[in-house]
Amino acid sequence: MTRAVIPAGSGTPLAPFSPGMQADNVVYVSGTLPFDAQNNVVFPDDAEAQTRHVLETIKGVLEAAGATMADVTFNHVFLTHWGDYAAINKVYAEYFPGEKPARYCVQVGLVKPGARVEIASIAHKRG
């Protein structure tokens, strides 16, 4: 079974994609940026606040699919400034307190100025 996962209250994406897709017990969460419902960047100069916003958005997609942050097995982390690495990791560790998902982190240019972090996730629902 494959289905789009679109949490209640989600804004319209900037491009043709769904916030998440579920294929059997696997949930793929699209690259998530620090955007409000109108696709405006939130907290433009605060990597910690942007990371928290992104992870809360990912959490909402997972919950809409019946999964949790504890089900996340892999994260793709994109940041615009290596200077934000410690701030991003500080917040990231709060959302993954036990065993940490596998991940990679690369420095990139993001789709809107002011966005400092983007994260995409893969989760395997338990049970």
Side-chain angles (χ1 to χ4, degrees), residues 17-106:
F17 66 88
S18 297
M21 286 296 295
Q22 181 175 347
D24 297 321
N25 70 328
V26 181
V27 182
Y28 300 91
V29 181
S30 292
T32 304
L33 290 148
F35 290 169
D36 62 18
Q38 292 75 41
N39 293 315
N40 297 308
V41 174
V42 296
F43 314 110
D45 295 318
D46 189 336
E48 283 188 32
Q50 284 192 4
T51 303
R52 189 171 315 285
H53 182 86
V54 164
L55 290 169
E56 283 295 322
T57 302
I58 289 170
K59 182 177 174 184
V61 174
L62 293 171
E63 288 174 351
T68 70
M69 295 297 273
D71 296 324
V72 174
T73 56
F74 198 90
N75 284 310
H76 315 267
V77 180
F78 308 93
L79 55 85
T80 58
H81 305 285
W82 280 119
D84 291 338
Y85 188 71
I88 290 167
N89 280 326
K90 177 183 172 190
V91 175
Y92 182 94
E94 294 172 18
Y95 283 81
F96 301 103
E99 290 185 354
K100 310 295 186 240
R103 78 174 202 186
Y104 63 76
C105 182
V106 295

